[in-house]
Amino acid sequence: MAIFDSRAPTVSDKIGFNRRFYAGNLEKVFTPTSDDELVAAVTQASTPEQAGEDPGVRIVSGRHCYENFVFNATSKSLIDCIGLDGVGQHPDRGYFVEAGASNWSSFTRLNALFGKCLPGGSCYSVGIGGHVSGGGYGLLSRLQGLTVDWVTGVDIVLTPAPGKAELHHVDAATEPELFWALKGAGGGNFGAISRFYFKELPDSLDTAAILTLAIPWQDIPDAEALGNLAESLYNFVPPDRMDWFGITKFNHQLKSGSEISGTIDFLVQLANAGIEDSGIEDAVAVLFRELSGSGFRIHKRPTSLYGQSVLGERLSLIGNTSSAQFFSFHDAVQTLNGSGSNQYSKYKSAYHKAVFSPEQFEPLFEGLTEYPTYDGEPVDMSSAWIQADSYGGEINSVDPAATPIWQRQSTMKLQYQCHWDSPAPISTPDTNLSDVYVDWIDRMYHAVYQDTGGWPDPYYNDDPDSSPYQGCYYNYCDNDLGTNEQGVGAIDFAMQMYFGKDNYSRLLDVKKQYDPHNIWNSAQSVPLRT
């Protein structure tokens, strides 16, 4: 057998989904296709040129990291798990999905081969390695829980010393603390994951109904109207209907000249739904009466998670009836499956225990109707929005200490995001244009949470149980929370926002034991405390 080795990087290896970041000093790329090759790759990649030097090893499965954890100037060796993409069944350990499989490939294969479903995300090209190790969340999470709640084993290559790599199988009986850490805080922190095991998985669903609506910005004159709309959409998903999952997209208002356009979009998926027993007809009738009574027009919009609606384009008013479409579940997943194009992007997140407070709608309205400028001209805000997803249900039946994902009381999960294109050449970020978008999202976000220090900080008033917030999501990473380079206070704040104080303390101990040389590091990796 030939010795497994690296290849020279191409430009495509140096850039990920978020085009803001670039690994300009990347020297080697490894593409293992087996555990033995992964061990060999980690052995070589973790060997520094000089003793005591950071070897700059990074690992990817789908390249969707929101921040510069992988693509930065310190990255020297990249391990790309694209060749570790198997899905199958182990005779003793149950179903498995390898780290390089995607959300879409794992769904289709588990469904076709075994009639099983992995409750994961809807973005088709996101890699399983990062998605699951960061928690795993999607449109079935209220019904079936987070992906990590089903994980029963992990294969991982550990590095007890630079240039030394060992394959370990970990589960609740074998190295239980590391196994616990990998179920929500595993991405890029402790080693190179090759596969996840699941003793059981939920059966594939038969059908799904998808309701897609749009409310025009023309009907939202002020913050009070935005608040009334948001509350109605939040309350549309019944707390006791775990088979319902709602997504509200608070798109940035659009204008054509002086004419206001654009919409607030609303999508609900009903799992295993049939028109005769789903309850959707009655629910839509109630929503129609409530919104139309407040002056809102309800439009039918194309069935998709992506792309803002514009009045006059593929939209039509609906009446007091359901506009849901009914699919086989496979077709429903495919219909909602998409990651969008690779662009420049910035993201922030928050967990809420309830809908926004009345005081928060003023900064939300101001942010969503502001038109930032660059060189005196308005920038394109058509790909800027706040996405509010349903949370709770089966997720909240799990103890906050059972996994590093401690957010088990929330009912709404938020993702603030903006995307833009730039004429800047590859590897030359357009920092001036980026600053405009980043400044816009930062100002709005911090204004929304001004009463808790500018962040959804559950510890701000030293009483996390009574706080309306539960911090942020690690897979929606945001370097503004604090980084390792900024010091102990900064990284501690970020980690506590992601994992809670108690779980973070436990993660520090796992890091010290299983990555004693801090080989697996990034701007927001679990720090090594000696």
Side-chain angles (χ1 to χ4, degrees):
M1 179 178 175
I3 296 174
F4 182 72
D5 208 347
S6 63
R7 62 168 173 80
T10 66
V11 172
S12 296
D13 294 313
K14 299 179 181 182
I15 194 166
F17 185 75
N18 191 342
R19 296 184 62 201
R20 289 175 61 205
F21 309 116
Y22 190 73
N25 297 320
L26 194 65
E27 299 169 357
K28 301 176 181 179
V29 177
F30 298 87
T31 54
T33 61
S34 67
D35 285 343
D36 287 344
E37 290 184 350
L38 181 60
V39 170
V42 172
T43 300
Q44 295 182 59
S46 67
T47 302
E49 294 181 4
Q50 299 181 19
E53 185 180 60
D54 182 358
V57 56
R58 309 287 183 252
I59 188 165
V60 294
S61 57
R63 300 170 179 258
H64 276 261
C65 184
Y66 284 177
E67 288 287 3
N68 65 341
F69 296 177
V70 172
F71 301 102
N72 62 66
T74 67
S75 302
K76 298 177 182 178
S77 296
L78 181 70
I79 301 174
D80 189 339
C81 293
I82 188 67
L84 292 166
D85 62 349
V87 175
Q89 190 171 24
H90 187 278
D92 301 315
R93 298 170 181 169
Y95 306 101
F96 68 83
V97 179
E98 294 187 332
S102 68
N103 276 337
W104 178 239
S105 67
S106 60
F107 165 75
T108 54
R109 297 192 69 185
L110 285 168
N111 179 63
L113 295 174
F114 307 109
K116 295 294 182 179
C117 181
L118 185 69
S122 57
C123 293
Y124 74 96
S125 58
V126 168
I128 287 295
H131 180 65
V132 176
S133 63
Y137 168 78
L139 277 75
L140 288 177
S141 291
R142 295 188 73 248
L143 178 64
Q144 297 172 340
L146 300 177
T147 316
V148 289
D149 297 337
W150 293 85
V151 173
T152 52
V154 181
D155 288 344
I156 182 171
V157 176
L158 300 174
T159 49
K164 184 177 181 181
E166 302 171 347
L167 179 68
H168 288 236
H169 174 75
V170 300
D171 54 31
T174 306
E175 299 177 286
E177 283 300 287
L178 176 59
F179 174 63
W180 171 84
L182 296 176
K183 296 199 298 179
N189 278 310
F190 308 105
I193 294 171
S194 65
R195 66 186 54 79
F196 299 93
Y197 295 94
F198 310 87
K199 281 285 188 183
E200 299 292 341
L201 282 173
D203 292 336
S204 296
L205 304 180
D206 286 330
T207 60
I210 300 173
L211 170 73
T212 49
L213 306 175
I215 294 86
W217 263 108
Q218 292 175 351
D219 297 347
I220 309 170
D222 51 33
E224 182 179 2
L226 180 64
N228 291 337
L229 174 61
E231 256 192 85
S232 294
L233 298 180
Y234 174 85
N235 291 328
F236 182 83
V237 177
D240 60 342
R241 288 296 302 267
M242 294 185 289
D243 53 337
W244 288 34
F245 187 98
I247 298 174
T248 303
K249 282 185 66 181
F250 296 95
N251 295 304
H252 194 281
Q253 184 190 82
L254 302 181
K255 278 186 178 180
S256 178
S258 60
E259 184 76 12
I260 293 174
S261 63
T263 58
I264 303 296
D265 295 334
F266 183 58
L267 181 147
V268 177
Q269 176 183 278
L270 293 74
N272 269 352
I275 189 68
E276 69 284 350
D277 60 4
S278 67
I280 191 65
E281 289 280 3
D282 292 340
V284 171
V286 171
L287 182 68
F288 180 87
R289 289 194 299 270
E290 188 173 320
L291 294 185
S292 60
S294 299
F296 296 109
R297 293 166 292 169
I298 307 176
H299 292 75
K300 167 67 180 170
R301 63 151 286 159
T303 303
S304 171
L305 285 174
Y306 300 94
Q308 182 174 174
S309 305
V310 178
L311 293 185
E313 296 182 3
R314 301 180 297 161
L315 291 180
S316 58
L317 282 167
I318 68 167
N320 189 12
T321 58
S322 169
S323 64
Q325 291 180 263
F326 293 83
F327 299 88
S328 72
F329 192 70
H330 178 279
D331 290 350
V333 173
Q334 190 169 32
T335 298
L336 299 180
N337 209 348
S339 299
S341 59
N342 291 25
Q343 293 179 292
Y344 295 74
S345 303
K346 178 60 184 176
Y347 307 82
K348 293 182 177 295
S349 69
Y351 288 90
H352 285 217
K353 296 178 184 176
V355 73
F356 294 102
S357 69
E359 296 76 22
Q360 290 177 311
F361 285 110
E362 193 66 46
L364 284 169
F365 183 82
E366 290 180 5
L368 292 171
T369 58
E370 176 191 349
Y371 291 89
T373 61
Y374 176 60
D375 277 351
E377 296 293 328
V379 300
D380 180 10
M381 299 299 288
S382 61
S383 294
W385 62 80
I386 302 166
Q387 182 168 312
D389 292 0
S390 298
Y391 205 72
E394 190 62 30
I395 301 169
N396 289 357
S397 69
V398 176
D399 190 298
T403 72
I405 306 298
W406 74 292
Q407 292 91 352
R408 304 289 184 166
Q409 293 176 294
S410 296
T411 58
M412 186 168 69
K413 185 174 187 175
L414 291 147
Q415 188 171 184
Y416 297 72
Q417 54 190 296
C418 56
H419 311 267
W420 63 97
D421 289 314
S422 171
I426 294 173
S427 83
T428 309
D430 190 340
T431 54
N432 292 326
L433 185 57
S434 293
D435 286 347
V436 173
Y437 285 100
V438 173
D439 176 66
W440 169 79
I441 199 171
D442 282 351
R443 285 187 289 105
M444 178 176 61
Y445 183 86
H446 294 314
V448 169
Y449 301 107
Q450 58 187 311
D451 289 343
T452 50
W455 305 97
D457 181 3
Y459 301 104
Y460 188 78
N461 295 311
D462 298 320
D463 189 7
D465 289 337
S466 64
S467 172
Y469 314 121
Q470 287 199 293
C472 304
Y473 182 36
Y474 194 45
N475 271 0
Y476 300 162
C477 50
D478 176 13
N479 278 353
D480 295 339
L481 283 165
T483 66
N484 280 297
E485 290 77 11
Q486 293 171 333
V488 171
I491 191 61
D492 283 356
F493 178 76
M495 293 291 106
Q496 289 167 10
M497 290 286 283
Y498 290 136
F499 304 116
K501 287 186 176 181
D502 292 341
N503 285 352
Y504 174 45
S505 177
R506 194 171 168 185
L507 288 170
L508 287 171
D509 291 337
V510 177
K511 180 73 170 183
K512 184 188 301 185
Q513 180 176 356
Y514 288 99
D515 187 21
H517 298 274
N518 201 28
I519 288 168
W520 304 97
N521 64 79
S522 71
Q524 285 187 341
S525 57
V526 176
L528 178 64
R529 298 280 164 79
T530 56

